[in-house]
Amino acid sequence: MHVMMEQLVSMGFPNSLAAEALKAAGGDIVKATDWILSRSQTTPSPPHRHTADTATALQAPQIHHDNSPSPPPPLSPAAASSNFQPKIDRFFHFRCKTQTPTPATSSKSQLCKEEVQQQQHDHADEDVLDDDDHHLQGGKRPRLSSSPQERDNYASKQQPSSSPVAFPREPLSELMRPSTLDQVVGQEHLLGPNSALRSAIRHSRLPSIVLWGPPGTGKTSIARAIVSSCSDVYRFVPFSAVNSGVKEVRDAVEEARKWKSKNSKIDNNRRMRTVLFIDEVHRFNKAQQDSLLPVIEDGSIVFIGATTENPSFHLITPLLSRCTVLVLNPLKPHHIATLLKRAISDSDKGLSSFSKVQVEDEAIEFLAAHCDGDARVALNKLELSATTAATERFHQKKGRGGGEGSLDSDVLSITVSHVKEAMQSKHIAYDRDGEEHYNLISALHKSMRGSDADASIYWLARMLEGGEQPLYIARRLIRFASEDVGLADPSALTQAVACYQACHFIGMPECNVVLAQCVAYLALAPKSISVYRAIQDAQKVARDSVGQNEGVPLHLRNAPTKLMKEIGYGKGYVYPPDNPKASSQTYMPPSLQGYKFLHWPNAPGAD
């Protein structure tokens, strides 16, 4: 209501009159303006007085003898109906013209189209509107232009210019989803002619499956295409684990049972079933996953789950035992290039359906190589590149005096510079809490163990660019210094601890070179796992009670009290600094005499 008040006041109407009109019109600004103008026509105006005070006085409500204001007059039939006065329609025409069509404003957009058609029949009303403007102007509101060209010029100053190209509201990645399996690009190991999945589809006997793969590899698209390829035997019911729970699943299962029973009565030979697709299924907790077990078991539904996380860690074992896990791989650059070319040339759903588009081959290659196999990223960046190119061309033509009209008729050229502007930075697939986190730290550890300093620094850079905490990496380097370098270079542990302290002191991004120095030092250092193997073997002996976990021999025990000395604690112990040649003293329990855990070249008797 406040916004509509401001609009009426900006037209030159007094505050009190605007408030009264909005109250009488029920909050509709068009009807309120019609109410004001209709009231002004029935109110006599003194000759030769066109000030704001006069207009206010003419519009003020009448006061009765009992000093109570009269109620607002009812709306005129013209205002109460959906067909407003032509002069009011043209008054609001310039406001409607620049609105973006949305579901909420579709009716108003239709009204604006009807207004344009009525303009050629309403020149007589324009003269009346001019007279009304003269009375209501009062030195505050400029006179409305009577010609369509002048109104368009006024609207261009008041409202933002229209979009250079009318791109769709749905993302391009959503519009270009394949409708059949033959349109799916990549994943040949799953969708080949002789694959198990193809055979199941041909015989209309879909198993319950879990699609596991990185984002943008086609999990949802494949699930939809599978069902669409099975004619009308299956019904597709999608859910997202982000905003769904057990209640929604139970409702879907109950509906699936009813649907199956209803169709079996019509045709007993047809087994009508429901495919329940749950995206991001790893977000379901254990209880929510348990609710799926009985309905998968009794065949009420065919379950298809999609996840980006390792099912071994995020899905319960009973659910995995009822499903077949299909692993999707990141798309190759040539797969991405095929999808991009399809999106460019498709005249029904692609960019060509909205504007004539020409994309440089170099731009396609750059985009395909910098999206990490994510088709969604590639298509969305292509759409953003087209928007960037259209905006750039729009302003160039405007600067040459070409006006502000749409440029859809011209060929839209997308270059590699537009793609780079849309990309901003390379997309890096990394999840600090997911599997990729452990994959990269494993690659770093193995590269250092293999003494490949270049590969070690590369994997370190991947982790840092992905947003990994530097202190986590530093802790892993400390472990590596003892596990893989060990006694071959004892100073490696000192280097690693110093690296941790330096990262703690200065943080990112300055500590990146500290981490790189430590990684290079550890990769180039000599390696020895003798200490690592020694502690592993000793712990195994202790766990397995190989030595019966005997007590400490008496001569190795401490004797701080007189009683302990009397019962033999510390008796017979030889102090090595005073007797360096005393080699007969033993330190192992009797049952483990002769056991060797540490195998080091400098140790006596080492192999």
Side-chain angles (χ1 to χ4, degrees):
M1 185 70 76
H2 179 70
V3 175
M4 291 184 285
M5 274 286 296
E6 291 183 349
Q7 291 180 357
L8 289 175
V9 172
S10 66
M11 298 175 192
F13 302 132
N15 288 330
S16 58
L17 184 60
E20 184 181 3
L22 286 173
K23 181 178 179 181
D28 190 315
I29 186 172
V30 178
K31 294 182 180 180
T33 310
D34 181 77
W35 183 87
I36 293 175
L37 297 180
S38 300
R39 181 182 176 87
S40 65
Q41 291 177 355
T42 59
T43 305
S45 56
H48 309 296
R49 295 186 64 186
H50 304 299
T51 63
D53 295 338
T54 303
T56 303
L58 292 175
Q59 307 298 333
Q62 298 179 358
I63 306 299
H64 295 275
H65 295 291
D66 56 356
N67 295 327
S68 61
S70 62
L75 292 177
S76 63
S81 65
S82 59
N83 298 321
F84 305 115
Q85 294 183 10
K87 58 186 178 183
I88 302 302
D89 296 340
R90 292 194 305 277
F91 183 81
F92 283 97
H93 170 64
F94 75 93
R95 296 182 180 272
C96 299
K97 185 176 181 178
T98 57
Q99 290 181 351
T100 301
T102 61
T105 59
S106 59
S107 60
K108 293 185 179 180
S109 300
Q110 182 65 28
L111 179 61
C112 293
K113 294 179 181 179
E114 295 175 356
E115 293 165 2
V116 173
Q117 298 174 358
Q118 292 176 355
Q119 284 184 2
Q120 57 184 347
H121 303 293
D122 299 326
H123 295 294
D125 289 331
E126 291 177 2
D127 297 334
V128 178
L129 177 61
D130 294 341
D131 293 338
D132 292 339
D133 290 340
H134 185 63
H135 287 289
L136 294 171
Q137 184 175 354
K140 294 183 180 180
R141 178 165 58 92
R143 178 179 176 273
L144 292 178
S145 303
S146 58
S147 67
Q149 183 177 2
E150 292 179 0
R151 285 197 297 270
D152 291 344
N153 294 336
Y154 179 76
S156 64
K157 296 178 182 179
Q158 301 297 324
Q159 302 289 341
S161 59
S162 59
S163 173
V165 177
F167 289 116
R169 289 193 173 274
E170 281 186 290
L172 184 62
S173 58
E174 185 66 26
L175 292 174
M176 296 305 300
R177 283 193 184 277
S179 56
T180 63
L181 283 179
D182 294 333
Q183 297 178 356
V184 177
V185 177
Q187 315 304 338
E188 291 85 357
H189 63 292
L190 298 179
L191 305 177
N194 299 322
S195 64
L197 188 57
R198 285 279 191 179
S199 300
I201 294 173
R202 280 195 294 268
H203 294 86
S204 296
R205 293 185 61 87
L206 294 182
S208 292
I209 59 177
V210 173
L211 301 173
W212 170 35
T217 53
K219 296 182 293 296
T220 303
S221 298
I222 290 176
R224 293 179 179 273
I226 287 175
V227 177
S228 64
S229 300
C230 292
S231 65
D232 57 347
V233 179
Y234 292 93
R235 184 174 63 108
F236 188 74
V237 178
F239 280 101
S240 174
V242 176
N243 50 24
S244 301
V246 175
K247 180 181 181 301
E248 289 79 6
V249 171
R250 287 176 178 171
D251 293 342
V253 170
E254 185 63 26
E255 184 180 354
R257 288 172 174 166
K258 294 179 180 178
W259 188 76
K260 180 180 178 181
S261 175
K262 177 182 177 181
N263 285 276
S264 60
K265 292 179 180 179
I266 299 175
D267 188 351
N268 293 327
N269 296 324
R270 301 186 65 187
R271 299 183 59 188
M272 311 296 291
R273 302 181 66 186
T274 297
V275 173
L276 181 64
F277 174 73
I278 300 181
D279 197 13
E280 307 292 340
V281 67
H282 60 271
R283 295 183 179 272
F284 269 6
N285 57 34
K286 184 179 182 299
Q288 291 171 319
Q289 293 182 40
D290 284 337
S291 67
L292 298 172
L293 301 180
V295 295
I296 297 176
E297 188 75 25
D298 63 17
S300 298
I301 62 166
V302 175
F303 172 71
I304 299 182
T307 177
T308 57
E309 303 295 335
N310 193 327
S312 302
F313 302 145
H314 295 272
L315 298 184
I316 60 177
T317 303
L319 182 59
L320 291 177
S321 70
R322 289 163 171 80
C323 302
T324 301
V325 178
L326 303 180
V327 181
L328 280 73
N329 300 322
L331 298 179
K332 302 296 183 182
H334 68 275
H335 293 147
I336 299 294
T338 301
L339 291 173
L340 293 175
K341 292 177 181 178
R342 179 188 296 176
I344 294 169
S345 59
D346 194 319
S347 58
D348 294 330
K349 300 179 293 183
L351 294 181
S352 296
S353 62
F354 306 99
S355 176
K356 296 180 181 179
V357 179
Q358 183 178 2
V359 185
E360 295 180 352
D361 292 339
E362 184 182 359
I364 296 178
E365 294 175 1
F366 181 87
L367 188 54
H370 287 77
C371 63
D372 285 348
D374 191 328
R376 183 181 294 105
V377 170
L379 291 172
N380 288 341
K381 297 304 181 182
L382 174 64
E383 183 178 10
L384 183 57
S385 302
T387 303
T388 303
T391 304
E392 179 182 288
R393 186 189 61 179
F394 180 74
H395 291 299
Q396 288 177 352
K397 185 172 182 180
K398 179 181 176 182
R400 295 194 300 266
E404 298 186 1
S406 174
L407 304 179
D408 293 352
S409 59
D410 300 334
V411 176
L412 181 63
S413 179
I414 301 176
T415 65
V416 68
S417 61
H418 297 135
V419 173
K420 290 181 178 180
E421 177 65 22
M423 291 292 292
Q424 292 294 317
S425 62
K426 187 180 185 300
H427 174 71
I428 298 178
Y430 188 74
D431 185 359
R432 289 192 302 175
D433 298 324
E435 184 188 9
E436 198 65 16
H437 161 82
Y438 298 102
N439 290 340
L440 287 180
I441 194 61
S442 176
L444 173 61
H445 199 131
K446 289 179 172 63
S447 299
M448 292 190 297
R449 182 182 294 154
S451 300
D452 190 336
D454 296 311
S456 303
I457 292 177
Y458 168 75
W459 294 119
L460 170 66
R462 281 278 299 270
M463 297 184 73
L464 293 177
E465 288 298 316
E468 185 57 76
Q469 294 293 332
L471 292 183
Y472 167 78
I473 302 175
R475 287 195 298 270
R476 301 305 304 167
L477 297 181
I478 294 175
R479 166 73 183 193
F480 182 89
S482 290
E483 177 182 338
D484 288 272
V485 178
L487 298 178
D489 185 0
S491 63
L493 183 58
T494 305
Q495 290 280 342
V497 173
C499 172
Y500 180 89
Q501 293 175 335
C503 292
H504 179 70
F505 290 154
I506 63 177
M508 281 291 287
E510 288 82 1
C511 72
N512 62 342
V513 68
V514 178
L515 288 167
Q517 176 184 336
C518 185
V519 165
Y521 182 94
L522 296 176
L524 299 175
K527 307 298 191 296
S528 172
I529 60 171
S530 57
V531 173
Y532 172 72
R533 284 182 173 172
I535 188 61
Q536 291 287 96
D537 293 343
Q539 286 181 317
K540 186 177 185 302
V541 167
R543 285 194 304 267
D544 297 343
S545 300
V546 175
Q548 290 82 46
N549 286 337
E550 299 177 74
V552 178
L554 290 177
H555 71 283
L556 297 180
R557 299 185 184 187
N558 191 26
T561 66
K562 180 180 178 181
L563 175 62
M564 299 172 96
K565 290 180 181 179
E566 290 176 352
I567 62 177
Y569 279 33
K571 185 178 181 179
Y573 174 68
V574 179
Y575 188 56
D578 295 338
N579 299 279
K581 296 182 180 180
S583 59
S584 60
Q585 182 169 253
T586 60
Y587 300 92
M588 280 283 196
S591 61
L592 293 179
Q593 291 296 328
Y595 260 77
K596 195 166 189 63
F597 299 108
L598 180 63
H599 301 278
W600 179 243
N602 295 331
D607 52 6

